[in-house]
Amino acid sequence: MSEQIKVKSDTSPNSSNPVKIQPAKTKSDGAGNARNRIYVRAVKGIYQSVRQRMGLVCMLSFLILPWLQYQGQQAILFDLANQQFRIFAVTFWPQDLLLLAFIFIIAAFALVLVTTFIGRVWCGYMCPQTVWTFIFIWFEEKIEGTRHQRMKLDQQPMTGKKAFKKIAKHACWIGFSLFTSLTFIGYFVEIGHLFIDFFTFSAGWLVSFWVLFFTVCTYGNAGWMREIMCTHICPYARLQSAMFDKDTYTVAYNPARGENRGPRSRKADPKTLGLGDCIDCNLCVQVCPTGIDIRNGLQYECINCGACIDACDGVMDKMGYQRGLISYTTERQLSGGFTRLFRTKLFAYSIILVVLIALFTTTLLSRTPFDLDIIRDRNQLFRENFSGEIENTYTLKVLNQSQTTVTYHLSLSELASEYKWIGEKSITVSAGQVESIPVTLAVDPSLLSDTRNDFYFVITMKSGQDKPVTLYEESRFFKGR
């Protein structure tokens, strides 16, 4: 517990010199607004370039993947109605729930590992809430102007020009929300028909409801709630203090170098004036998407996006000072020590993650493209025929989990040296379908060693030039007394 970092609120100064925060929040127009609005200032720098490129990759991947085709059908489709998840050549069924559990567990441990090492970079660079929020802010900047212009516009009385800009902005927000909502639903419904059916009012009420529901959610989250999602709703922000330690890399301000802060001219010597490198310009506050002052220390609202680093580095360049007043650093390094990159916690998380990935890979590779379910005759466990043989009846259900029609061959293993198979020994099943075949087995009782004899149904699939795939399913043959 001594290694954990105490997360501070944004109202507790980190030094003896309290932060003089210029107003970074201005009430938006409209009476009765319960919260102040954050006007995010645009900033350029290496971290914002990385964030924008990662966001672009994530957004393009999201928009393109449902349109990909494979063998004449949608390559990625999570068909909930038919309970099958299709990913290119592989189809997953409810029986593959273990794989889904593995994916969630691996994702959770990967998030914990990354957070312990380098903080909330997921939130700052790849979280959908962050990506969509910055896209909505981009629409604001293109239509309403810079941060200062947006603040000035909201303070003006309603005019025709202001109304036009507001309507244009919200129209872009709603249009983009609808487009991304349709794309998202396209992962669960055939996207080739979804757009046409929706705009021609031919889509079913359930599909239309979910499209409109996610449109409203996207518009509200990225357009209005924004940082509220990160600071009050998302549980990840509240859990970060349990993952952080003194060697976790986070966005932090160096008070030993920055204090005492205050304005000065470029030519002035800060040491002569008794000042640190921080000129108290408040740009780090103005560019922050959650509206915090990083100089107050580590706060749970910080999403590690690095915007304040880029803003501060730009100011340091103009002043002729060394960069890094705000940087990705650790609590131990700020205290004058050396960061421990290799530590027990990280090693343990890494080992667990590797083991989980190995188990997932093994389970995935051992998965067969078909399944066999055996149902015994519940009315009569066994019966004796006119020849004195004992008969047991079964219903074999064959599930074709592949995306092509396949013929399967059935046989037995480990029952008796001689037996009679009454029924078909091969069955053809269409892609993604289940077919049933009744089978009766007859065995001379003298060949059976016990009243209950364990054996295996053997099902073999041979497709083209591929190596045959064989599956063994255990069952029982009852002899009686």
Side-chain angles (χ1 to χ4, degrees):
M1 295 299 292
S2 60
E3 289 293 311
Q4 292 183 352
I5 301 176
K6 294 182 179 180
V7 179
K8 305 173 184 178
S9 68
D10 59 358
T11 57
S12 301
N14 190 36
S15 66
S16 58
N17 182 20
V19 181
K20 302 173 184 177
I21 304 178
Q22 296 177 1
K25 301 180 181 180
T26 305
K27 285 188 177 180
S28 60
D29 56 358
N33 191 357
R35 78 177 184 93
N36 291 331
R37 179 179 175 184
I38 297 177
Y39 294 86
V40 181
R41 180 170 180 159
V43 61
K44 295 181 179 180
I46 182 173
Y47 294 110
Q48 296 318 291
S49 296
V50 172
R51 179 190 59 76
Q52 291 169 2
R53 284 169 172 76
M54 293 182 69
L56 180 62
V57 170
C58 293
M59 179 58 68
L60 289 178
S61 300
F62 167 76
L63 297 176
I64 292 174
L65 284 177
W67 293 98
L68 297 179
Q69 296 290 308
Y70 181 80
Q71 294 182 347
Q73 57 186 358
Q74 189 170 325
I76 299 177
L77 180 64
F78 306 125
D79 191 349
L80 298 179
N82 295 315
Q83 298 183 347
Q84 53 179 302
F85 291 177
R86 188 166 66 230
I87 302 178
F88 290 91
V90 182
T91 301
F92 296 96
W93 297 81
Q95 295 91 330
D96 300 309
L97 184 62
L98 179 61
L99 294 173
L100 182 62
F102 267 125
I103 291 174
F104 284 128
I105 296 172
I106 289 172
F109 268 97
L111 184 63
V112 171
L113 175 63
V114 171
T115 304
T116 303
F117 180 64
I118 198 169
R120 292 179 64 183
V121 290
W122 160 260
C123 295
Y125 291 85
M126 297 183 67
C127 176
Q129 176 68 21
T130 301
V131 174
W132 260 260
T133 295
F134 275 105
I135 291 175
F136 275 45
I137 292 175
W138 180 84
F139 281 119
E140 276 188 335
E141 293 174 347
K142 295 302 179 183
I143 297 173
E144 296 183 353
T146 64
R147 175 180 183 272
H148 177 72
Q149 291 172 332
R150 299 198 302 272
M151 294 173 64
K152 186 176 180 181
L153 180 67
D154 284 349
Q155 293 171 357
Q156 295 174 356
M158 183 59 68
T159 61
K161 183 178 180 181
K162 179 178 179 178
F164 174 78
K165 289 186 175 181
K166 292 294 182 182
I167 292 173
K169 179 185 73 173
H170 287 282
C172 290
W173 284 1
I174 294 173
F176 187 74
S177 298
L178 177 60
F179 177 67
T180 55
S181 177
L182 283 166
T183 302
F184 178 71
I185 299 300
Y187 281 89
F188 304 91
V189 180
E190 290 283 353
I191 197 169
H193 304 288
L194 175 61
F195 278 76
I196 297 175
D197 291 345
F198 182 81
F199 288 109
T200 57
F201 304 102
S202 302
W205 71 268
L206 185 61
V207 172
S208 300
F209 167 79
W210 285 115
V211 169
L212 296 176
F213 174 80
F214 285 110
T215 299
V216 172
C217 289
T218 304
Y219 172 73
N221 291 346
W224 292 98
M225 300 185 70
R226 293 189 179 176
E227 77 284 349
I228 291 180
M229 294 294 299
C230 303
T231 58
H232 297 292
I233 298 178
C234 179
Y236 182 41
R238 306 291 178 170
L239 296 174
Q240 63 175 326
S241 60
M243 306 179 202
F244 285 8
D245 55 40
K246 294 184 182 297
D247 297 293
T248 299
Y249 281 92
T250 59
V251 174
Y253 165 75
N254 188 348
R257 175 183 160 188
E259 303 300 326
N260 290 316
R261 69 188 72 153
R264 81 293 301 269
S265 66
R266 292 186 185 180
K267 298 181 180 180
D269 183 6
K271 293 182 180 180
T272 304
L273 299 175
L275 298 174
D277 286 352
C278 179
I279 66 172
D280 205 14
C281 62
N282 274 331
L283 283 180
C284 56
V285 179
Q286 296 175 17
V287 302
C288 180
T290 58
I292 66 170
D293 191 334
I294 196 62
R295 297 171 297 181
N296 287 339
L298 178 63
Q299 298 149 64
Y300 74 87
E301 297 92 340
C302 178
I303 61 173
N304 263 29
C305 66
C308 55
I309 299 178
D310 289 330
C312 187
D313 284 347
V315 173
M316 294 295 103
D317 291 341
K318 293 178 181 179
M319 296 298 296
Y321 300 162
Q322 182 182 358
R323 288 187 169 199
L325 179 59
I326 302 176
S327 63
Y328 281 102
T329 185
T330 65
E331 186 85 354
R332 194 180 302 277
Q333 190 170 339
L334 287 176
S335 303
F338 295 96
T339 301
R340 297 180 303 171
L341 294 178
F342 304 99
R343 48 196 190 273
T344 305
K345 183 190 293 187
L346 278 181
F347 181 75
Y349 290 154
S350 301
I351 293 297
I352 294 174
L353 187 60
V354 170
V355 171
L356 288 172
I357 293 175
L359 290 174
F360 171 77
T361 303
T362 302
T363 305
L364 181 62
L365 294 177
S366 62
R367 176 182 178 271
T368 57
F370 57 90
D371 195 17
L372 175 64
D373 189 18
I374 304 169
I375 302 176
R376 292 187 53 86
D377 185 355
R378 298 180 179 179
N379 296 322
Q380 193 174 19
L381 289 178
F382 64 94
R383 63 176 178 269
E384 184 177 349
N385 61 21
F386 293 108
S387 302
E389 297 172 325
I390 303 298
E391 293 183 351
N392 281 201
T393 301
Y394 310 83
T395 299
L396 308 182
K397 290 183 175 291
V398 181
L399 168 62
N400 181 4
Q401 299 182 122
S402 68
Q403 297 179 10
T404 59
T405 300
V406 180
T407 298
Y408 301 92
H409 302 280
L410 301 165
S411 61
L412 296 183
S413 175
E414 300 182 14
L415 176 57
S417 57
E418 296 182 7
Y419 62 87
K420 291 182 181 179
W421 180 293
I422 305 172
E424 299 292 334
K425 300 196 72 172
S426 65
I427 182 173
T428 300
V429 186
S430 301
Q433 299 299 315
V434 179
E435 296 291 343
S436 299
I437 179 173
V439 172
T440 299
L441 300 179
V443 182
D444 187 332
S446 63
L447 300 177
L448 299 173
S449 59
D450 203 349
T451 56
R452 193 186 79 168
N453 302 268
D454 296 334
F455 71 101
Y456 293 91
F457 279 101
V458 183
I459 178 171
T460 304
M461 180 192 80
K462 181 173 175 54
S463 179
Q465 302 298 324
D466 297 337
K467 182 179 179 181
V469 180
T470 301
L471 176 67
Y472 293 80
E473 284 293 333
E474 186 178 14
S475 187
R476 293 168 181 82
F477 189 96
F478 287 92
K479 173 184 176 182
R481 297 180 182 178

